[in-house]
Amino acid sequence: MVAVFGKRPKHEDVRERPVDPDELRRSVDEGMLIARSAIVIAVANRIILSALQQHESFDARVVAEVAREELRRFAAEQREDAERMREIRAVAQNARGRSRHQHDYKRGDDLKLRTREATYTELAERLEASSEDPSFVDAIVIAARQRAWDDIGSTVIGRLGWAAGPADDYEVGLEDRLQELAADIDALRPGHPPASD
């Protein structure tokens, strides 16, 4: 029986309706994009902190392990969210009446909650699998390194804005300055006689 004006017939039980596979796939794909972006940011921040606080050079193998840790951490969060949806569904099964707010789930919300649970579960599985995929991890490392570089570069340029470009009169006397620089460099070479004033 078809619902009229968004209302379901009284005898239809949404708990019997299956999760829409297209909706599930879309939700998981979107979740992967969001998670990947968040993981790139987290890894970039770790690169920056490592460089600035511990004075460590960039090491792709170390950063790849950081990326794998972040992927596993995100997967664990998704598993926790799936468990939370299962608990909410169990309570909602016995809840009757109208919802008082957006988180007051009732029996009629079962399909929505099952869809969320399935999304979190599948997203956790994909994140976990991605942590073992060298090409996926490498792509995160490359993106995180570029982001870290961009963030640091933007900060430096912002603080040294005057040094970002030459002065308007840079060309005036440039040839003379270059000759003086060359003479100074020659004077620093070993065995070069000291200049007399």
Side-chain angles (χ1 to χ4, degrees):
M1 178 172 238
V2 177
V4 180
F5 300 110
K7 294 183 178 181
R8 288 188 284 287
K10 294 249 185 222
H11 64 277
E12 184 184 13
D13 190 346
V14 294
R15 292 174 296 180
E16 296 173 7
R17 289 176 37 203
V19 170
D20 180 349
D22 291 333
E23 182 181 347
L24 177 60
R25 187 182 69 254
R26 262 192 318 276
S27 295
V28 172
D29 288 346
E30 289 172 4
M32 280 298 289
L33 289 173
I34 293 167
R36 185 187 182 284
S37 296
I39 290 167
V40 166
I41 292 168
V43 173
N45 289 340
R46 295 269 295 270
I47 292 170
I48 292 168
L49 289 175
S50 175
L52 297 179
Q53 291 180 347
Q54 283 83 35
H55 307 287
E56 294 176 359
S57 298
F58 178 83
D59 183 335
R61 289 175 303 197
V62 171
V63 176
E65 186 53 39
V66 170
R68 283 189 286 276
E69 288 171 9
E70 287 296 320
L71 283 160
R72 289 189 290 263
R73 184 176 69 79
F74 270 69
E77 286 178 6
Q78 298 308 305
R79 282 191 201 89
E80 290 171 9
D81 288 341
E83 178 59 33
R84 189 170 48 84
M85 285 300 112
R86 278 189 287 282
E87 292 169 1
I88 291 171
R89 276 183 56 221
V91 171
Q93 294 303 313
N94 300 317
R96 296 191 183 276
R98 293 183 154 268
S99 296
R100 290 185 295 269
H101 52 79
Q102 67 184 16
H103 299 293
D104 184 20
Y105 297 107
K106 303 295 182 192
R107 176 183 295 192
D109 295 313
D110 187 73
L111 180 59
K112 177 183 358 178
L113 295 171
R114 277 190 293 121
T115 301
R116 288 181 186 169
E117 179 185 341
T119 300
Y120 294 139
T121 300
E122 191 167 323
L123 186 53
E125 291 170 4
R126 284 195 41 196
L127 288 165
E128 190 70 42
S130 296
S131 74
E132 302 302 323
D133 179 355
S135 61
F136 192 88
V137 171
D138 288 347
I140 287 177
V141 170
I142 291 166
R145 182 179 188 184
Q146 184 61 50
R147 183 180 177 94
W149 179 253
D150 291 346
D151 287 353
I152 290 172
S154 297
T155 300
V156 169
I157 288 172
R159 290 185 179 177
L160 303 175
W162 57 269
D168 292 337
D169 62 348
Y170 176 77
E171 296 292 328
V172 176
L174 177 62
E175 190 63 36
D176 293 336
R177 290 194 308 274
L178 288 173
Q179 288 176 357
E180 288 175 20
L181 177 62
D184 290 343
I185 290 172
D186 279 342
L188 295 173
R189 291 182 191 195
H192 189 276
S196 58
D197 290 324

